[in-house]
Amino acid sequence: MKVERLNKKELNAYCESLGIETKKKKKQELVQAVYEYERAIIDEAIASGTCLKLLKTKIGKLADEYAQNLDEKITARKEEMKADDNSHYLIYRVLGISNEEGILIDEYQNTGRFLYKYAGSFLEEAASMCLFFANSKGGKVLVKNTQGTKPKTFEIDFLNGNDAVEIKWRDATTDGDHITKEHTRVKVIQSYGYKPIRVMFYYPQREQAIKIQETLKTIYSGVGGEYYSGDDAWAYLLKVSGYNLKQILTEIAERRDREDNNDK
């Protein structure tokens, strides 16, 4: 759970469930209190030699939460779609797609949107968790845009010492404006004295998207930053945090497979 995403009421309730005092505290103070609470638990696990076990438990719980939320979103959307106006199926039929196929295509398109969003958020949060286990002072940071007015701020997924780490599960954009925004983002981060580092676990497969990534790699290199993708991204996280996230996720996936097979 990213506590930053909770509104004040939700954050108050979450803090109270942990036994954290909430009276007269601003949101940022409560967020910091949650991090300190989590840090104390992690430090205790490190001292007792159970840190890896704790990390696996937390990532497993996180995966379960995301899976449940994703399932609820998909189920709700499918129910909504039953009342949709499907008059556009006329065009599908003109192009050789039957009504039955059209229904499945629309369902999968909507499912895919949710899946990509949740996959990215989950992997970012899991990777950030590994980094936080290794660095208690690191975390998400917002910096003001020193190069322009739009956007007003840029978000650093995890500030690890002087390294401003941006975490992506994959980036398949083909929009040229994306390059301009990323170039500005990198310059802003550099202006604060941080080293911009891009960690992208899955490389895009389409030609135009690959060209965009090659350009971004050049931009990072040009300012003394670092760019990791694919196997290099997993290796970077392992080297910096000391935790093999890919192995942890593989174990969770295999558990899911066993559960699915047992249900059949």
Side-chain angles (χ1 to χ4, degrees):
M1 177 193 297
K2 284 191 174 182
V3 291
E4 294 91 348
R5 293 178 179 172
L6 301 178
N7 60 41
K8 186 63 160 55
K9 184 178 180 180
E10 292 170 333
L11 185 55
N12 279 338
Y14 181 65
C15 286
E16 289 170 0
S17 71
L18 299 177
I20 297 174
E21 179 60 50
T22 61
K23 290 183 179 179
K24 297 182 180 180
K25 287 186 178 179
K26 298 179 180 179
K27 180 176 180 178
Q28 189 54 44
E29 291 175 318
L30 293 176
V31 169
Q32 186 59 37
V34 171
Y35 277 125
E36 291 174 359
Y37 175 89
E38 292 289 340
R39 189 68 234 171
I41 295 175
I42 293 170
D43 289 342
E44 183 178 338
I46 292 174
S48 63
T50 60
C51 195
L52 178 58
K53 181 180 178 181
L54 176 62
L55 177 63
K56 286 185 175 182
T57 299
K58 282 184 170 293
I59 292 179
K61 182 179 179 181
L62 183 69
D64 290 341
E65 290 175 355
Y66 268 88
Q68 180 179 344
N69 291 337
L70 176 60
D71 182 65
E72 290 174 356
K73 285 285 188 181
I74 291 174
T75 300
R77 177 55 58 86
K78 286 183 177 180
E79 284 300 313
E80 291 176 358
M81 290 178 68
K82 290 179 181 179
D84 284 354
D85 175 9
N86 295 327
S87 59
H88 62 285
Y89 284 10
L90 168 63
I91 309 304
Y92 288 1
R93 287 162 52 211
V94 169
L95 297 177
I97 303 298
S98 69
N99 284 343
E100 292 74 17
E101 289 176 307
I103 291 172
L104 291 175
I105 289 170
D106 283 359
E107 281 188 355
Y108 279 119
Q109 182 184 37
N110 279 267
T111 298
R113 289 174 180 172
F114 284 124
L115 178 58
Y116 295 154
K117 177 182 177 181
Y118 275 68
S121 295
F122 166 73
L123 188 49
E124 177 190 327
E125 195 164 349
S128 294
M129 193 179 292
C130 291
L131 292 170
F132 185 67
F133 264 62
N135 178 7
S136 62
K137 297 181 180 179
K140 189 176 294 293
V141 174
L142 283 177
V143 292
K144 291 183 179 180
N145 186 349
T146 59
Q147 304 294 316
T149 58
K150 292 184 180 181
K152 292 182 178 179
T153 60
F154 285 98
E155 184 176 78
I156 298 173
D157 291 330
F158 198 94
L159 185 59
N160 190 34
N162 197 54
D163 294 342
V165 184
E166 180 184 17
I167 303 169
K168 293 284 188 183
W169 88 290
R170 75 174 180 181
D171 187 353
T173 183
T174 58
D175 185 359
D177 290 340
H178 184 61
I179 295 176
T180 302
K181 182 179 178 181
E182 280 298 300
H183 194 190
T184 301
R185 180 184 181 279
V186 167
K187 290 173 66 177
V188 168
I189 289 173
Q190 187 186 38
S191 73
Y192 284 87
Y194 303 138
K195 177 191 284 188
I197 298 178
R198 184 178 178 88
V199 179
M200 187 173 67
F201 295 99
Y202 296 99
Y203 209 68
Q205 301 181 46
R206 300 294 173 261
E207 183 179 353
Q208 185 58 30
I210 291 173
K211 288 181 179 179
I212 295 288
Q213 292 307 312
E214 291 298 321
T215 301
L216 292 180
K217 187 182 298 185
T218 301
I219 289 173
Y220 274 78
S221 176
V223 296
E226 299 173 14
Y227 181 109
Y228 301 94
S229 62
D231 290 341
D232 290 340
W234 297 104
Y236 170 84
L237 184 64
L238 173 59
K239 178 181 178 181
V240 173
S241 72
Y243 299 104
N244 191 336
L245 179 59
K246 189 173 186 179
Q247 179 59 41
I248 294 173
L249 298 183
T250 298
E251 291 174 6
I252 295 173
E254 291 174 346
R255 170 171 63 83
R256 291 254 193 268
D257 291 341
R258 290 193 297 271
E259 292 171 351
D260 289 342
N261 290 331
N262 290 336
D263 290 340
K264 293 179 180 179

